[in-house]
Each structure stands twice: as structure tokens, then as C-alpha cells.
Amino acid sequence: MPGLVNDLAARPRPIRPSDPPMPRHLAAIRNIGIVAHIDAGKTTLTERMLFFTKTSHRLGEVDRGTTITDFDPEEQERGITIYSAAVSFQWRDVTVNLIDTPGHVDFTAEVERSLRVLDGAVVVFSAREGVEAQSETVWRQADKYGVPRIALVNKLDREGADFHGTVKQIEERLAAKPLVLHLPQGLGPPHVKDPFRGIVDLVEMRLLTFPPKDEALAGGEALARVTAAPIPDDLADEAALYREQLVSTLFDFSDEIAELAMQEAPIPPELMRKAIREATISRRVVPVLAGSALDCIGIQPVLDAVAWYLPSPADVPPVEGLDPAKKVPTTIARKADPAEPFCGLVFKIVAEKHGDLYFVRVYSGTLKAGSRAWNPARQKKENVAQLWHVQADRREQIPEAFAGDIVGVIGPRASVTGDTLCDAAHPILLEAIQFPETVISMAIEPETSLDRKKLAETLEMMKRQDPTFRAVESEETGQTLISGMGELHLEVIRHRLERDFNLKCRVHKPRVSYKETLGRPVEVAGSVNRQVAGQTLAATVTLRAEPVAEQGGVTVEQGWFPEAESLAEMAALMTQSVRESAERGGLKGCPLWATRIVVLESPIPEPPPGDVAVRMAAAEAVDRMLEAAGTVLLEPVMRVEVSVPEEHLGDVINDLQQRRAMITNTELRGGVNVLTAEAPLASMFGYSAAVRSVSQGRASFTMAPLKYGPASAETAEAFV
Ligand SMILES: Nc1nc2c(ncn2[C@@H]2O[C@H](COP(=O)(O)OP(=O)(O)OP(=O)(O)O)[C@@H](O)[C@H]2O)c(=O)[nH]1
Ligand SMILES: [Mg+2]
């Protein structure tokens, strides 16, 4: 007999009954992100979640530019997410703080910072395209930050949707262990013989069906409209098979389940959920759900899975950081407890008319409006004037925020994205967020020189908001070189200048951002010995430097730790001075990359040198290092993935080879050829038009920064 699904209303289980009681509200918070390849349906899913939790009373559509989270005009025009947006809603007993992130590679920093501060994630896959390039990237980012996740195989209503194929790709391409909790009933759009219309729930062993979208829209108790029925005969065998797999996987997480299964006794769904939760939080499995966000099929089960299987702030290990008071790196930890000293991480800054809004993830303690917080990295006390709960473009002022919360803070001035704020009496320095390097630059200048100051100020503000955006003004040319993650990134910035700030700019052709690394390892010393205004400036700095294989900026390490305090300070000052000099770049004026410098024991004259002398000697040492080692010009190399039907494969390969691309792999995925290549970004400008023309519009591609590699000899020679 079909019946209404009321038992879905069961409360999420308490986290770990054996744990000491946590403050009540912590276990009921879920800080989660939605991440995926572009167009997988993240924003559509978010919009449905807001609707079914009654947070919003109308159902917006990406295609009409009416969703809550894509509220920026640029996003609405393009139908893609550019800025991550935070929303909160209540689902049963759980408060979900959710960040909808962009899938376009140019905005990958938004994903990076979100995953850094979130406790769990929903990864959305399009059942038609399967695991796409950017899904792999976000998966690796989630791995890096140890974020447990659940997967939604979305777009099952589309022609060519393949649920099991996508699950297989999750297993093979992402090296994950998918735990299938749903099976789709039918596949594809309404006009096919057996369209997608329902979900087999393998935990409760029943069929869930959902009212047509327009009926769901008509309101009513949306929840109660999910209908449960026995599994139909034609799905019974498949369901039994997958149920068996599910149960046997859970043996590893619950002896009780193993025992019940042995006795062929029924296994209570509650018990299964507990085991699935444990398996998910320990990141040993990824529960896989089925749905169609567009048609509102499978949304409530995703909400349930968020509540049931993803961790609360109380489930994640205490946050760790360095003790800023200690010279030798010492790790300390803070529990997610409102009674602990406060610490939090600034992960996003939004410039607003009335001052910047700092988004802070509170890891421990309580943060009160009208208080002050310590920024250990900048050695500054910051004002915490106001606290806000932010709901996309709306917000509500609150008096205090607790461990586990994500809040907007107004008041700080000196902090930047990735900085720690903490209790001044109990300082801690959390790990900053690492952002990818910019790969593309473009010169711009204001149309009227009157706008110069305004442009400089506006770019400064944009830099504060966007850690992957750079802007450097050239005194000589009056031009400003802006750099970012790709053509779209810079175009969006240019539009913002025009639309939001009424700044008309002339723009030059974009070019790639170059870097330099050392030609060979060297050991050098830089000295200064000079009389200035009757004073002797004398110092020597010795260093060893080498190019390294790892991708990353220049690192400067202290390789000399003298016992005596005055010498120890001198060694630290030398290291810091070398760092400052190295940041000025290489022989061609590009930033240094993949370079390791170690400051070695250096002779200390009598009387000991002052700061100025040490700085001069350090600068001299860095100059000598560059001269002695020589530098190699590096250019950004992209990972390109092209999906193309057989008949155009040859043309696409030919074209790529002319672009100095190296084809690294070709494989057949769901009937189309997917080829992977590494190509210099400089030869990939305008590729979207080119690939369209050589494949008559049949190929699609994605491109993401892979590394910096040596530029060709011609490029290096022509470089000015
Ligand atoms: N047929 C079908 N279309 C969907 C589904 N979910 C989303 N779409 C459509 O797919 C397109 C992209 O959806 P979005 O929700 O913007 O995808 P996104 O993942 O947020 O994309 P970005 O934010 O740009 O990365 C839109 O045209 C949606 O209407 C689905 O379940 N079925
Ligand atoms: Mg989106």
C-alpha cells in the first residue's frame, strides 16, 4: 500500500552516544558545501533545498536568473555561479549552513576556501556526463581538507543518463568507495518508454515517488508529498542485489548488523543509518543518492542524508594551529566548544558600502558583537563591531556567535582572507588557505586620467575580496596589469568595474603570467661594508639556493639556529630579509617559482650589524644568487580535457598538436572519446572557438591550470 513518508521525520541520531555530552546545539549544526563541475546542478539543488525547507516560498530557476544564491547580475546573465553564496536553513532538528560554490575553473578559489572551513560536502554529478574534470579537482580539494562527502547523481531525467556508469566512474576515477543507497526507477525524460520518476531507497527497501514539479510548487506540506510504496516487481531483483552489497559493506562498521544479517533477521534502518554515518564521517565510503534537481525528485532524501550522514562541528577533530608565542613550531588544538577560548578563520571578505564584511568560521569559543579579537599574523587587535547571519544577499544581526557557526563580522581592517582571529589571551595561528597562482594578465588603463585614483582604489578593494586577483600599477606607462585565473575571471572583473563602479577602461590583449626559477643550484654570500654618515654598515648573508620539482612559490628557510639569543635573532632577521628580497622576483622581473633558498651560517662582524646592514647584505646575496644561477622562464601549462566524437578526433588532435600540446591520454567514456593533454596556456587563447570549428560544434572541453613549465626558447628570447 502506498503511504506517506512520515518516518522520514525521525530525528537524526545523536552523534556518538559514548561521547561526553556536547553543548546541545553543536550536534545539530551541519556546515556543508555543494561542489561539482560546472552545470552539474549545484545551484538548482540549493534552490530546491531552500524551497523544501520553506526558507524560500518561490522556486527559482538558474535558466531564468531567479535563484537565491546566484543573485549577482553577472551570474544571472550567464546562468553560472561566480561567487560562493552562504545560506542557512532548518531541516527537522538540524540547522544547515550551506555554501553553494561555482564549478567554473576560473573560480576554483571559492571552492578551496569553502572546503577549508566546511565540515562536509555534497558532490553533485551529472548522470549524463559522469565524473568530469572539475569534479576530480574538487574531489582532490575535499581530500586535502579531509572533508567527508555524499554524492548525488543528478540529471537522471536527461537523455543518456547513466546512473551505474556514473557510480563506476566515482569508484574508478576518484578512487572512492561508493555506497549506493538509491536506485533510480526509470531513466531519462518523460517522452521515453521508462522515464526517471522515482527512487528505490535501499535502507528502508521501498520506492519513493515525488509529485510533479508544478504540484510540489502548489505548496502544501511538501514533505508529506513524498510517497512511499513497496518496490515494484521489475526492480525487486536489482534492489535485492544492491541491498545485499550495502549490508555487507556495513559489516565493517557494525558487528550488530553483521550478526543480524547472519541470522537473516531484519536490520533496523536506524542501525544502518548509524553505521553509514560512521563510515561516511571516517571517509571510508561515499553514500550515493539519485535525483533530478530540476524536477524536484530526490531533494528531501538529500536533505535527510545531510542530516543523517554528514558530520556536525562536534564530529570533526579539534582544530589545530601553531602557538604564536613559541619560537620552535608547537602545535596546539582547540575543541569545538563555546567555553573554549575563541578562535576562527577569515575565509572570505566582501566589500560593501558600509565597510567590509568578513566571513569567519568560528572553531572554538564564543565571539561577541562589540568585542575585540586578536590577529596573530598581523599582530593587530581587530574590532568586532557587528555580527551578522548571512542569507545570500539578506542578513540578520546577531549578538554572539559560537563554536561551529559561520558569521559575517563588520569591524576588522587589517585581516586578509586566511587570517586567524582569536582570543588575545590565548593566541593560536591556524593554517592559512592556499590559493592557486594567477595564470593570465591583462593591461588596463582608465579612459580618463581623472579616474586613475578611483581605479586604483577599486582594484585594491577587489584584491581584498579575491585572493586570486592581482593588480599592479606601472608608474611609467600609467597602465595597470591585472592578473587572474583565466579569461572569464578577468572579463567578470572588467564588467564589475564598468557596471558597479562606472569605471570605463581601455583593455589590452590578455597574456599569460610568466614566472622564473633558478637555472642551477648555487651557494653564495652577499656582503655590505660601507661607511654611511660616520657609521659602519657591515654584514654578510650566506645562502644556498636551488630549483625544486614541487610547484609553488619561492620558499626561504632558516638553516642556521645558533644557541646565543642575539645570534638567533640575527639568523631570523637574515631569513626574513632574504625572503623580502626574493619576493622582488627574478632576472626578468617575474615572480620566482619552484625555488628553495636556505639561509646558512654567516659570519657576524664586531660590532654586530644593525637591521639596515642585514637587509642590504640579504639583497646583495639574492642578486648574486640570480646572477650565479641564471634563471629559466616558466609559463603556465594547462590540463586540457576534450570530449569529442570519433569522426572529429583526428582533427582535434591535429589542432592540439599545433598548439604545442602533449596528448597524455585518450579513452572512451560513455561512447565519446575523452582526450587529456598538457598545453601551454599561451597557445590556448581562443580555444573554445577553435575547437567548435574543427569539430563542427560537437566537442566540449575543460581546461585548468596544471603547473608552470619551461617556456619555449622563442618565448624566452622574445620576452621583454
Ligand atoms: N534536465 C535537468 N537539468 C538540470 C538538472 N539540474 C540542473 N539542471 C540544469 O542544468 C543547468 C545548470 O544548473 P545549475 O544549477 O546552474 O548548475 P551549477 O552546478 O550550479 O553550475 P555552476 O554554478 O555554473 O557551476 C541549468 O540549465 C539547470 O536548469 C536536472 O536534474 N535535470
Ligand atoms: Mg551554480
Side-chain angles (χ1 to χ4, degrees):
M1 274 294 289
L4 296 181
V5 183
N6 295 322
D7 51 350
L8 279 182
R11 290 181 52 160
R13 285 186 64 81
I15 312 309
R16 284 178 195 139
S18 55
D19 285 353
M22 292 302 292
R24 204 202 71 82
H25 80 289
L26 258 195
I29 292 180
R30 299 289 177 277
N31 292 317
I32 64 157
I34 301 201
V35 296
H37 191 86
I38 190 163
D39 263 4
K42 300 174 289 294
T43 301
T44 306
L45 173 65
T46 306
E47 189 70 18
R48 271 60 184 152
M49 287 176 151
L50 291 170
F51 181 76
F52 284 118
T53 56
K54 303 199 164 155
T55 315
S56 148
H57 296 286
R58 63 168 177 83
L59 193 68
E61 303 288 356
V62 172
D63 309 301
R64 295 205 198 109
T66 51
T67 64
I68 291 185
T69 48
D70 285 353
F71 57 84
D72 187 88
E74 185 91 26
E75 295 178 314
Q76 293 171 349
E77 272 160 37
R78 292 177 187 270
I80 63 166
T81 305
I82 294 171
Y83 311 102
S84 56
V87 290
S88 300
F89 52 80
Q90 203 74 29
W91 179 247
R92 311 187 189 293
D93 282 6
V94 173
T95 301
V96 181
N97 299 313
L98 178 147
I99 296 182
D100 174 29
T101 66
H104 194 286
V105 281
D106 282 14
F107 311 112
T108 182
E110 291 287 74
V111 183
E112 188 82 24
R113 57 169 144 211
S114 302
L115 288 174
R116 169 72 172 79
V117 297
L118 294 170
D119 302 321
V122 178
V123 189
V124 183
F125 298 92
S126 160
R128 208 173 116 110
E129 280 82 16
V131 174
E132 296 169 275
Q134 187 65 5
S135 326
E136 261 185 273
T137 305
V138 299
W139 198 269
R140 277 197 301 273
Q141 287 171 307
D143 281 341
K144 177 165 109 191
Y145 293 114
V147 175
R149 60 214 91 142
I150 54 181
L152 171 68
V153 179
N154 188 35
K155 299 200 181 184
L156 286 164
D157 62 298
R158 286 198 57 191
E159 198 96 54
D162 181 357
F163 178 77
H164 295 294
T166 305
V167 174
K168 197 157 155 243
Q169 287 186 26
I170 294 175
E171 184 165 9
E172 288 172 359
R173 295 193 61 191
L174 304 177
K177 187 161 172 53
L179 189 68
V180 176
L181 302 185
H182 285 170
L183 293 175
Q185 181 192 32
L187 278 179
H191 61 80
V192 302
K193 194 165 138 261
D194 185 16
F196 178 56
R197 57 198 182 280
I199 291 169
V200 174
D201 166 359
L202 295 166
V203 173
E204 305 261 6
M205 286 305 270
R206 58 189 179 174
L207 180 77
L208 300 177
T209 49
F210 304 82
K213 184 163 89 180
D214 13 329
E215 257 181 64
L217 290 185
E221 185 54 45
L223 238 191
R225 308 293 297 273
V226 180
T227 310
I231 296 173
D233 290 346
D234 59 335
L235 282 170
D237 287 348
E238 198 192 356
L241 182 76
Y242 277 89
R243 163 79 176 194
E244 207 179 295
Q245 280 183 12
L246 169 61
V247 171
S248 60
T249 308
L250 295 179
F251 288 177
D252 286 347
F253 302 92
S254 163
D255 293 344
E256 234 177 301
I257 292 182
E259 222 151 88
L260 288 171
M262 295 286 219
Q263 297 161 8
E264 294 187 10
I267 305 167
E270 282 294 276
L271 187 62
M272 290 184 69
R273 285 188 195 119
K274 182 169 171 256
I276 298 170
R277 176 177 187 79
E278 256 176 52
T280 310
I281 292 178
S282 62
R283 289 188 288 125
R284 282 187 285 172
V285 303
V286 177
V288 179
L289 314 180
S292 160
L294 190 67
D295 291 345
C296 298
I297 300 183
I299 309 300
Q300 296 92 334
V302 175
L303 287 163
D304 283 332
V306 166
W308 283 331
Y309 308 134
L310 288 180
S312 79
D315 294 308
V316 290
V319 67
E320 288 188 347
L322 291 178
D323 184 343
K326 296 268 168 37
K327 285 221 170 97
V328 189
T330 311
T331 304
I332 47 176
R334 294 263 189 280
K335 285 203 297 268
D337 180 343
E340 283 258 303
F342 160 72
C343 83
L345 190 85
V346 176
F347 67 96
K348 189 176 164 89
I349 300 171
V350 177
E352 307 217 312
K353 283 203 190 75
H354 311 291
D356 291 356
L357 185 65
Y358 288 69
F359 283 82
V360 174
R361 160 75 199 251
V362 182
Y363 282 101
S364 64
T366 304
L367 182 63
K368 287 193 162 59
S371 70
R372 294 179 130 214
W374 177 243
N375 180 332
R378 325 256 148 227
Q379 297 277 308
K380 286 254 159 63
K381 274 227 156 125
E382 291 277 43
N383 256 328
V384 179
Q386 299 170 357
L387 296 178
W388 295 82
H389 257 164
V390 180
Q391 178 79 357
D393 57 346
R394 282 172 294 144
R395 60 202 53 177
E396 174 199 3
Q397 200 164 357
I398 51 171
E400 53 192 356
F402 305 100
D405 280 343
I406 288 175
V407 284
V409 181
I410 288 185
R413 290 183 165 272
S415 303
V416 302
T417 302
D419 276 2
T420 304
L421 293 178
C422 60
D423 180 343
H426 302 91
I428 180 170
L429 188 61
L430 305 174
E431 197 191 326
I433 310 172
Q434 281 166 12
F435 292 106
E437 275 301 309
T438 61
V439 291
I440 172 172
S441 308
M442 185 167 82
I444 63 170
E445 60 206 308
E447 277 184 3
T448 73
S449 58
L450 293 175
D451 274 346
R452 248 177 106 156
K453 182 153 171 275
K454 184 172 167 198
L455 178 67
E457 280 169 8
T458 311
L459 292 175
E460 214 33 59
M461 181 275 293
M462 286 181 165
K463 279 198 312 205
R464 274 205 313 280
Q465 288 192 35
D466 180 352
T468 54
F469 172 64
R470 304 260 148 81
V472 185
E473 197 182 339
S474 158
E475 291 284 326
E476 297 154 38
T477 59
Q479 288 180 349
T480 300
L481 196 68
I482 60 173
S483 312
M485 299 307 300
E487 286 176 274
L488 180 61
H489 187 199
L490 293 188
E491 195 175 308
V492 164
I493 294 206
R494 193 161 62 83
H495 283 179
R496 263 197 87 188
L497 288 175
E498 269 188 20
R499 197 189 48 228
D500 295 353
F501 301 96
N502 198 20
L503 273 163
K504 296 244 180 318
C505 291
R506 269 192 294 277
V507 299
H508 297 248
K509 253 171 87 168
R511 67 172 180 87
V512 306
S513 310
Y514 292 96
K515 296 194 187 295
E516 287 174 71
T517 187
L518 298 184
R520 62 187 188 88
V522 287
E523 193 171 315
V524 295
S527 298
V528 55
N529 199 336
R530 229 187 265 173
Q531 294 285 333
V532 176
Q535 278 199 325
T536 307
L537 291 177
T540 299
V541 171
T542 313
L543 57 83
R544 190 175 60 230
E546 59 187 350
V548 291
E550 298 94 66
Q551 294 287 317
V554 53
T555 60
V556 180
E557 296 160 33
Q558 184 172 330
W560 173 42
F561 296 93
E563 292 272 314
E565 185 149 342
S566 62
L567 284 187
E569 273 173 20
M570 196 63 73
L573 176 64
M574 285 179 182
T575 310
Q576 183 53 28
S577 306
V578 169
R579 195 170 288 135
E580 280 160 19
S581 294
E583 271 162 16
R584 289 208 296 267
L587 293 175
K588 292 184 153 77
C590 308
L592 281 177
W593 186 253
T595 300
R596 175 170 177 255
I597 303 176
V598 184
V599 175
L600 305 175
E601 177 168 355
S602 305
I604 304 290
E606 230 6 277
D611 289 11
V612 178
V614 169
R615 281 209 187 92
M616 287 167 73
E620 178 68 22
V622 169
D623 284 348
R624 290 208 168 172
M625 166 192 86
L626 294 173
E627 269 162 40
T631 63
V632 177
L633 190 69
L634 302 175
E635 65 178 343
V637 176
M638 311 299 280
R639 180 178 187 273
V640 187
E641 206 180 282
V642 192
S643 308
V644 53
E646 187 69 38
E647 60 267 39
H648 299 293
L649 182 64
D651 295 335
V652 168
I653 291 181
N654 273 343
D655 176 69
L656 276 174
Q657 279 166 344
Q658 280 171 25
R659 295 169 186 273
R660 293 191 283 140
M662 199 172 70
I663 314 269
T664 52
N665 189 37
T666 48
E667 63 182 22
L668 217 52
R669 236 183 261 158
V672 284
N673 290 282
V674 179
L675 58 94
T676 317
E678 294 178 10
L681 175 59
S683 60
M684 294 299 286
F685 282 118
Y687 186 62
S688 49
V691 76
R692 228 179 284 134
S693 102
V694 296
S695 71
Q696 290 161 16
R698 307 270 312 277
S700 64
F701 82 105
T702 57
M703 183 161 86
L706 176 70
K707 61 180 183 192
Y708 271 84
S712 70
E714 305 90 79
T715 314
E717 260 165 46
F719 192 86
V720 274

